[in-house]
Amino acid sequence: MRLTSRFPRRLRVPAAFAAAALFALTLGATPSPAATGPATTSAGVVSYLTSITGNHTVSGQHNREPNSSPAQWTDKVHDITGVYPGMWEGDFLYSADDIANRQTMVDEAEAEWAAGSLVGLMWHECPPTMAEPCSWSDVESKLTSDQWTQLVTDGTSLNTAWKSELDRIVPYLQQLKDAGVPVLWRPLHEINDSWSWWGGNADSARLYQITHDYLVGTKGLTNLVWVWSVKDDSTSTVAGYYPGSQYVDVVGLDSWNANFPSTSWYQTMQSIAAGKPIALAEVGALPTPAELTAQPKWAYFSDWAEYLTNSNSDDAIKATYYDYQVLHRGDITLPAGIRAGAASGAGSRAASGAASG
C-alpha cells in the first residue's frame, strides 16, 4: 500500500502556490552566505532515496546548455507550477563557451543544494583522442578496436589521456565536496547505446570501472553518488553493461524509445539494481500520477531540458508536480533530520527564488 504524503492530494495545489508566495517574499532580499551547517554524505543521499522507494518520487529537471544559464529549465518548472523540482541536474559539456562557464554551473549546483534540492551532474565529454573543446560530432564519434584496448589498459597513452580529461573536472567536484554537496554523478550515460564514443562497446563497463576507481580511489571524491544509466533499447543485453554493484549506487533508465517504461523494463531495472534505488534518469514526457502509481519504485525522475515544454502541456506538468507522490524542493529531509543543503539562506538565485538571466 502506498503511503500518502503529509499533504493530501487535494491540498497539493494550494500548498504549491503557498510555496510560490514564500519564494516571492524573498525576492530582492539581501543574499546571505551559504550555510556551513552539517552536510549529508553520499551514503545519506542513497539512504534517503532507498527510504522513499515505493512511496514517493523526487521530481527532477535537467538544465541543458548554455552553462552560462544553468537553471533555465528549473526556473521554468517554477514558472509553471509555483514550486521548484526536488533535484537539479547540470552538465560539464564540451564546447568552448560551456567549458568557460563550468564554474557558473558548479556555483549553481552549490546554490541548489543550499536551497534544498538534490544535485545531479553528468558530462557529454570529448573523446580521449582529442583535447577539449570539441564538437557534437566528436562526442558522437567512434573509437577503433585498438583504441578501446589502449583506453582500458592502465598506463597506455589513451588511458592516461582519459585520466587527464577527468582531471579537468576534478577541481569542480572537489569544490562541491569541500562545500558538503553530495552529487548524483551520472558519467558515461546511456552506456549501452552506441550513439556516443563511450557507449555500446564490450569495454564500456570497464571504462566506467576505471572512471570510478580514478575519481574515488585516486582523487578521493567520496561525495559522488554513482548513477549508472542506460537507454531503453533492449532488455536482453543491458545487463552486460553493468559494471558491478560495488561501482553503482543508483540504477537509472533513460526512457526515450517509450514515454514511460514498459513493465519488462521496470522489472529488468529492479533485477539489475538488486535492492539499490532505481531512477528515471532521463525522460521527455513526465510520468503521470497513474504511471507512478503503477510503477512506484522510481526514486526520482529527471525531465530533459526543453522537453519539459516540448513534450508536456502546462496542465500535464501541474498534474505530475501537484500529485501527492511527487516531492519538490522543501519536501526532502535527509538522514539525521538534515534537510538538503542544511541552509537557512544562500547567496544565489536558487535560494532567493529570483529568476536566472
Side-chain angles (χ1 to χ4, degrees):
M1 178 179 179
R2 291 180 66 75
L3 300 177
T4 59
S5 154
R6 62 184 179 278
F7 300 116
R9 182 187 295 267
R10 66 182 180 276
L11 293 182
R12 287 297 275 173
V13 175
F17 282 104
L22 179 60
F23 278 114
L25 287 174
T26 66
L27 288 175
T30 302
S32 57
T36 56
T40 295
T41 63
S42 57
V45 172
V46 176
S47 178
Y48 170 74
L49 294 176
T50 302
S51 74
I52 65 170
T53 293
N55 296 318
H56 293 291
T57 300
V58 174
S59 57
Q61 182 61 45
H62 180 79
N63 292 270
R64 195 164 65 87
E65 63 263 42
N67 270 344
S68 57
S69 183
Q72 58 180 326
W73 294 104
T74 289
D75 287 337
K76 187 64 175 178
V77 170
H78 181 265
D79 291 344
I80 295 169
T81 66
V83 297
Y84 285 102
M87 192 269 278
W88 168 94
E89 186 180 56
D91 191 331
F92 283 108
L93 293 168
Y94 55 89
S95 73
D97 183 68
D98 289 316
I99 290 169
N101 282 286
R102 280 175 178 168
Q103 185 60 57
T104 300
M105 186 270 292
V106 171
D107 288 345
E108 183 63 33
E110 286 194 50
E112 293 282 346
W113 172 257
S117 296
L118 299 178
V119 167
L121 287 174
M122 60 181 297
W123 191 12
H124 285 88
E125 67 266 36
C126 302
T129 52
M130 64 181 65
E132 61 176 33
C134 65
S135 68
W136 177 248
S137 62
D138 294 324
V139 175
E140 292 183 305
S141 65
K142 301 293 178 283
L143 302 184
T144 67
S145 177
D146 286 345
Q147 287 171 330
W148 266 105
T149 298
Q150 270 201 53
L151 181 59
V152 298
T153 302
D154 191 47
T156 64
S157 59
L158 277 185
N159 179 268
T160 300
W162 174 240
K163 292 172 182 176
S164 295
E165 190 165 349
L166 292 173
D167 284 339
R168 291 178 177 272
I169 63 166
V170 165
Y172 300 110
L173 296 173
Q174 181 66 48
Q175 176 184 328
L176 292 170
K177 178 184 176 182
D178 293 344
V181 181
V183 176
L184 289 158
W185 171 235
R186 191 163 67 99
L188 308 175
H189 66 291
E190 298 180 3
I191 195 171
N192 61 322
D193 196 323
S194 60
W195 69 263
S196 67
W197 68 260
W198 62 81
N201 189 276
D203 283 321
S204 293
R206 179 61 189 138
L207 183 62
Y208 190 103
Q209 294 170 342
I210 291 168
T211 302
H212 176 283
D213 289 346
Y214 186 71
L215 292 180
V216 177
T218 303
K219 296 300 179 177
L221 293 169
T222 54
N223 60 318
L224 303 181
V225 177
W226 286 79
V227 182
W228 173 81
S229 77
V230 294
K231 188 178 174 183
D232 57 340
D233 287 338
S234 171
T235 57
S236 65
T237 59
V238 67
Y241 294 91
Y242 191 59
S245 61
Q246 68 270 39
Y247 294 97
V248 176
D249 299 308
V250 176
V251 170
L253 179 65
D254 294 9
S255 190
W256 288 112
N257 291 320
N259 283 340
F260 190 73
S262 65
T263 299
S264 177
W265 266 110
Y266 183 54
Q267 293 171 343
T268 296
M269 299 309 283
Q270 290 180 75
S271 177
I272 293 173
K276 297 178 185 292
I278 63 173
L280 292 169
E282 288 182 22
V283 297
L286 289 171
T288 67
E291 288 169 337
L292 290 175
T293 298
Q295 296 185 9
K297 292 189 176 181
W298 299 112
Y300 66 84
F301 65 78
S302 182
D303 197 61
W304 186 259
E306 71 274 14
Y307 280 81
L308 175 72
T309 51
N310 289 352
S311 296
N312 303 278
S313 67
D314 285 5
D315 285 345
I317 295 168
K318 290 175 183 177
T320 294
Y321 268 83
Y322 295 162
D323 188 71
Y324 76 93
Q325 301 165 99
V326 176
L327 303 178
H328 322 130
R329 181 195 294 175
D331 292 337
I332 298 168
T333 302
L334 296 170
I338 302 171
R339 183 172 170 270
S344 58
S348 70
R349 175 218 56 81
S352 69
S356 61

